[in-house]
Amino acid sequence: MEQKIYKVMKGAGATNIVLGVIMLVVGIVSGILLIIAGAKLNAGKSKILF
């Protein structure tokens, strides 16, 4: 019985680590893309007419 519990806990821990790494990578990539988009807007602000 205890072995089943440890296997379930091991699977849950591994899943949490994998999801954490994926979320970290997605966050870093989205931040970089937002910085690039903001830099492009800032560079082209002289061309914007209102």
Side-chain angles (χ1 to χ4, degrees):
M1 184 68 174
E2 290 179 12
Q3 291 176 351
K4 277 187 174 181
I5 294 171
Y6 284 122
K7 285 184 181 179
V8 170
M9 289 174 64
K10 181 180 171 183
T15 304
N16 286 336
I17 290 172
V18 169
L19 286 176
V21 169
I22 290 171
M23 290 180 68
L24 184 67
V25 169
V26 168
I28 290 171
V29 169
S30 64
I32 290 170
L33 291 175
L34 286 170
I35 289 171
I36 291 170
K40 285 183 180 181
L41 282 173
N42 200 18
K45 71 180 178 182
S46 62
K47 298 176 186 176
I48 298 174
L49 299 174
F50 287 102

